Amino acid sequence: MGKSEIEIVRKPELEFVDYKTFEAVPSKTVEGASQRIIAQIPGTDVATRILELRAGTDTSPDGVQIHDFWEELYIIEGSLIDLRLNEEFTAGMVACRPPGMEHGPWKSPNGCKIFEVRYYAEQKKEEHEFVDYHTFEVKPFSKVEGLSERIIASDPATEVATRILHNAPGTDTSPNGVQIHDFWEELYIIEGSLIDLRLNEEFTAGMVACRPPGMKHGPWKSPDGCKIFEVRYYSKDQ
């Protein structure tokens, strides 16, 4: 597929849904690896997915990976060892990989599950291989009591960021009203839950969302608290 064709197709709109809704498709090259495709640019490997590695999985058949798109990731559970770097990465770690960054191959002795967002964008977010998200400073929001964020990577030209969004118990984002952005948002609920006050629906841990520019969402209330991994970007295809 040529560049002009890629630019006229988009990932689909998706408000929070359990990732287990999506079929686990086994890898054709690596035994023990599978993926659940949540949203994808048709005809490309650019997708939002849950990558699942069974205990003992070794991705050496796929070799070192280099892509022409961005990859941002959150390790949901388990761990994996980078066989090239000889480092182990564990649950709660995040990564931001620009196009051209080498990564892998991996081995997962005890199994691993990862939320991964791939996209095309012209931006300058910081490069991070897996690092504990607690490394990043907590910054409270001035308008909403109980709401805070940890910025993992941001584009200085647009301030569009990848972050961990934390709602303390009882947080109500009504002061921010309904949100509409001119950028993409893709999210994974790490823990807890939140209630969409406009839709009157509750969304819980393990749910994923893919929001194109212009999609309405919120406001939210989180009676018991909630933590979310969120990737924001301006896509070339929008």
Side-chain angles (χ1 to χ4, degrees):
M1 176 175 281
K3 180 179 177 183
S4 61
E5 290 176 278
I6 291 174
E7 290 177 342
I8 62 172
V9 291
R10 295 164 32 125
K11 290 180 182 177
E13 176 181 308
L14 186 71
E15 190 50 293
F16 283 119
V17 62
D18 191 326
Y19 77 80
K20 293 177 183 176
T21 303
F22 304 93
E23 180 186 5
V25 179
S27 168
K28 295 179 180 179
T29 56
V30 175
E31 184 177 357
S34 62
Q35 62 179 355
R36 298 176 189 264
I37 298 294
I38 295 157
Q40 185 172 24
I41 297 179
T44 77
D45 290 328
V46 178
T48 302
R49 64 179 185 167
I50 300 290
L51 179 63
E52 297 173 304
L53 306 174
R54 293 202 309 263
T57 299
D58 186 333
T59 73
S60 294
D62 284 347
V64 175
Q65 297 290 294
I66 302 173
H67 308 304
D68 65 344
F69 46 76
W70 287 79
E71 271 189 343
E72 303 205 50
L73 309 95
Y74 176 85
I75 300 179
I76 299 168
E77 61 183 53
S79 66
L80 70 171
I81 298 168
D82 188 307
L83 299 176
R84 185 171 52 91
L85 302 177
N86 194 30
E87 290 186 52
E88 184 174 17
F89 303 119
T90 57
M93 287 188 166
V94 290
C96 179
R97 300 180 184 143
M101 178 179 170
E102 294 185 353
H103 54 283
W106 313 93
K107 188 171 183 179
S108 182
N110 302 307
C112 190
K113 195 174 295 179
I114 302 171
F115 176 63
E116 179 177 340
V117 180
R118 293 174 163 183
Y119 59 92
Y120 287 109
E122 295 287 353
Q123 62 181 10
K124 293 184 179 180
K125 284 185 180 178
E126 301 92 336
E127 176 182 311
H128 295 296
E129 189 50 290
F130 284 118
V131 61
D132 190 326
Y133 77 78
H134 293 99
T135 303
F136 303 94
E137 180 186 1
V138 177
K139 297 181 179 179
F141 282 77
S142 58
K143 285 186 179 180
V144 177
E145 185 177 354
L147 189 63
S148 61
E149 64 180 353
R150 296 177 189 263
I151 300 295
I152 296 160
S154 63
D155 179 13
T158 65
E159 297 185 353
V160 170
T162 301
R163 63 182 182 171
I164 300 290
L165 185 64
H166 184 259
N167 296 266
T171 298
D172 186 334
T173 71
S174 294
N176 284 341
V178 175
Q179 297 291 291
I180 303 174
H181 308 304
D182 63 346
F183 48 77
W184 286 77
E185 275 188 340
E186 303 203 50
L187 310 95
Y188 176 84
I189 300 179
I190 299 168
E191 61 183 52
S193 66
L194 69 170
I195 298 167
D196 188 307
L197 300 176
R198 183 173 53 90
L199 302 177
N200 194 29
E201 291 185 51
E202 184 174 18
F203 303 119
T204 57
M207 287 188 166
V208 290
C210 178
R211 300 182 184 142
M215 178 179 170
K216 292 182 179 180
H217 53 283
W220 314 93
K221 188 171 184 179
S222 183
D224 301 312
C226 187
K227 195 174 294 180
I228 301 171
F229 175 64
E230 178 178 88
V231 179
R232 292 175 160 185
Y233 60 92
Y234 285 102
S235 174
K236 289 181 181 179
D237 66 11
Q238 69 190 92

